[in-house]
Amino acid sequence: MGDIKDYKIATLGSHTALQILKGAKDEGFETICICKKGRSKPYESYKVADEIIEVDDFSEYFELEKKLMDQNAVIIPHGSFVSYLGFENIGKIKAMHYGTKGIIEWESDRDMERHWLLDAGLKLPKIFEKPEDIDCTVIVKFHGADGGQGYFLANSPEEFYERMKDADSDRKYVLQEYIVGVPIYSHFFYSRLTGELEVMGFDKRYESNADSIGRVAAKDQVDVGIQTSYTVTGNIPIVLRESLLPQVFEMGENVVKASQKLSKGGLFGPFCLEGILDPNLNFYTFEISARIVAGTNPYVNGSPYTWLRYNEPMSTGRRIARDIKEAIEQDKLKTVLG
Ligand code: AMP
């Protein structure tokens, strides 16, 4: 039987690192946090890291990888991890990596992601090939837009071209049906050891300035020319209407099943479906994150859902560490690496 004392858990100091490292320590692992110089304070103050390695830039990851490998560290990827290393570099990681690397490509490409989610039977907002096709309210999303900066709504081709006059016309964009409803981000965990899908919780984002525009009268919004942006500043917990839960489980299970056809090993560990719930209780999914999301951060001490199942504090970060621990103890570590 393997011993977790022979392994460590490591991640980059950002995004969900506090939760990941705290969860790892709660499961009995020693932890390593790779931090940008000058940004290690939270990891010291909250005492989640046994070792802090400081770097000038996260691109130095590959230079210190040997050091991680010498300590038998398992790397836990998160959203910032993928964006700092670049998804094209994920395949080059030689250290033990929790999760299937191949699935990141499916998440990073809008067309591939759409193919995956449609194959899983999910409802997606319509995509319009060209502005002339617009026949309902669309959200115009620019590629690489930082926090949804500059996104706008249009109801017709004419309105689209009118609003594009103010935008940088060289930027690539996608025209997506705008779903009027409430945003719901569903957090899942699928373990290859147990073969079971768990629903870990839900959140919505707290976005600036979109979440405060209602505090300004409509007339003033127009007079001042307020532009909507969706810069994420934090996350707000949600408890879902209970009768919707069976559908959520089914969606998660179908996404896992569909992923097994796309990439060897399929999706496992934490993931999130990001969508809108309309007034007829239809879930429209506009994105998948194939790793831990920051929306799980309110639940460092567990969510109402993990409490139901575990009767002990179980964050998504801790659930990852539990998966790795069980894999080590069953001599099946490869099952949770990819
Ligand atoms: P994104 O950059 O794709 O994460 O989207 C930024 C914001 O726009 C989020 O608050 C979403 O809730 C919202 N949003 C994205 N796509 C849609 C859509 N198709 N319909 C309605 N709201 C959307």
Side-chain angles (χ1 to χ4, degrees):
M1 182 171 122
D3 185 347
I4 67 164
K5 297 274 170 291
D6 297 332
Y7 298 87
K8 291 188 178 176
I9 285 194
T11 196
L12 301 186
S14 183
H15 195 261
T16 38
L18 287 170
Q19 185 201 149
I20 291 170
L21 299 174
K22 159 84 174 140
K25 283 186 82 67
D26 286 347
E27 289 299 302
F29 285 97
E30 274 194 43
T31 58
I32 303 171
C33 187
I34 303 152
C35 281
K36 268 197 181 167
K37 280 202 181 101
R39 302 188 62 88
S40 55
K41 182 74 188 183
Y43 308 99
E44 288 161 14
S45 174
Y46 296 116
K47 306 188 191 315
V48 293
D50 294 302
E51 185 187 353
I52 291 182
I53 302 175
E54 289 202 315
V55 293
D56 288 316
D57 193 274
F58 285 133
S59 58
E60 288 168 41
Y61 166 81
F62 288 102
E63 290 154 41
L64 57 86
E65 192 173 43
K66 179 156 184 326
K67 196 168 165 187
L68 297 173
M69 291 168 77
D70 288 346
Q71 299 193 68
N72 258 349
V74 180
I75 311 289
I76 314 296
H78 52 54
S80 302
F81 184 83
V82 177
S83 68
Y84 287 131
L85 259 64
F87 96 91
E88 63 285 357
N89 290 322
I90 298 293
K92 297 182 194 152
I93 295 172
K94 289 205 190 72
M96 289 184 278
H97 171 275
Y98 181 81
T100 300
K101 289 177 201 146
I103 217 76
I104 304 283
E105 194 190 351
W106 284 87
E107 178 214 69
S108 309
D109 180 295
R110 271 189 206 274
D111 294 332
M112 289 167 80
E113 181 184 52
R114 202 170 165 83
H115 172 95
W116 175 9
L117 299 179
L118 285 173
D119 192 42
L122 301 192
K123 258 200 184 84
L124 270 60
K126 251 199 289 183
I127 294 286
F128 295 88
E129 294 296 329
K130 47 186 195 307
E132 285 68 29
D133 298 342
I134 298 174
D135 63 358
C136 64
T137 308
V138 297
I139 179 166
V140 182
K141 295 182 172 184
F142 290 98
H143 286 254
D146 193 15
Q149 196 107 37
Y151 285 10
F152 64 83
L153 304 188
N155 292 293
S156 63
E158 296 72 36
E159 199 178 340
F160 168 83
Y161 285 115
E162 185 56 36
R163 304 253 356 228
M164 271 306 264
K165 281 186 192 158
D166 301 331
D168 173 358
S169 53
D170 289 341
R171 285 173 79 193
K172 280 189 156 183
Y173 57 81
V174 62
L175 303 173
Q176 203 176 74
E177 175 188 8
Y178 186 80
I179 310 294
V180 182
V182 292
I184 305 272
Y185 293 67
S186 309
H187 318 147
F188 300 92
F189 189 91
Y190 174 70
S191 167
R192 283 210 299 224
L193 287 180
T194 63
E196 202 181 328
L197 178 101
E198 299 167 37
V199 172
M200 305 296 284
F202 303 90
D203 81 294
K204 67 171 190 168
R205 292 177 182 167
Y206 194 41
E207 293 164 325
S208 185
N209 56 12
D211 284 318
S212 265
I213 282 182
R215 293 161 63 102
V216 180
K219 181 179 177 305
D220 296 333
Q221 293 174 21
V222 175
D223 289 352
V224 181
I226 291 177
Q227 298 289 331
T228 317
S229 57
Y230 300 89
T231 308
V232 180
T233 62
N235 300 85
I236 304 171
I238 291 179
V239 170
L240 204 65
R241 187 170 161 170
E242 194 159 312
S243 56
L244 292 168
L245 284 176
Q247 190 184 343
V248 173
F249 275 96
E250 200 182 324
M251 285 163 59
E253 281 163 0
N254 289 342
V255 164
V256 170
K257 243 182 258 157
S259 77
Q260 290 161 353
K261 290 185 259 167
L262 307 178
S263 186
K264 195 165 165 282
L267 172 68
F268 70 91
F271 67 100
C272 175
L273 292 177
E274 298 158 13
I276 309 280
L277 192 52
D278 80 2
N280 298 319
L281 302 179
N282 293 306
F283 265 110
Y284 286 89
T285 305
F286 59 84
E287 203 166 328
I288 180 167
S289 295
R291 31 96 195 148
I292 187 169
V293 289
T296 60
N297 281 341
Y299 305 122
V300 170
N301 204 36
S303 77
Y305 301 95
T306 62
W307 181 251
L308 288 167
R309 185 180 164 104
Y310 287 97
N311 263 326
E312 63 180 324
M314 185 57 69
S315 66
T316 295
R318 184 169 184 182
R319 184 66 190 86
I320 293 171
R322 175 78 52 99
D323 210 33
I324 297 171
K325 180 175 164 177
E326 288 178 347
I328 291 169
E329 290 176 349
Q330 295 170 26
D331 293 322
K332 289 182 180 168
L333 186 54
K334 280 213 169 96
T335 309
V336 299
L337 304 178

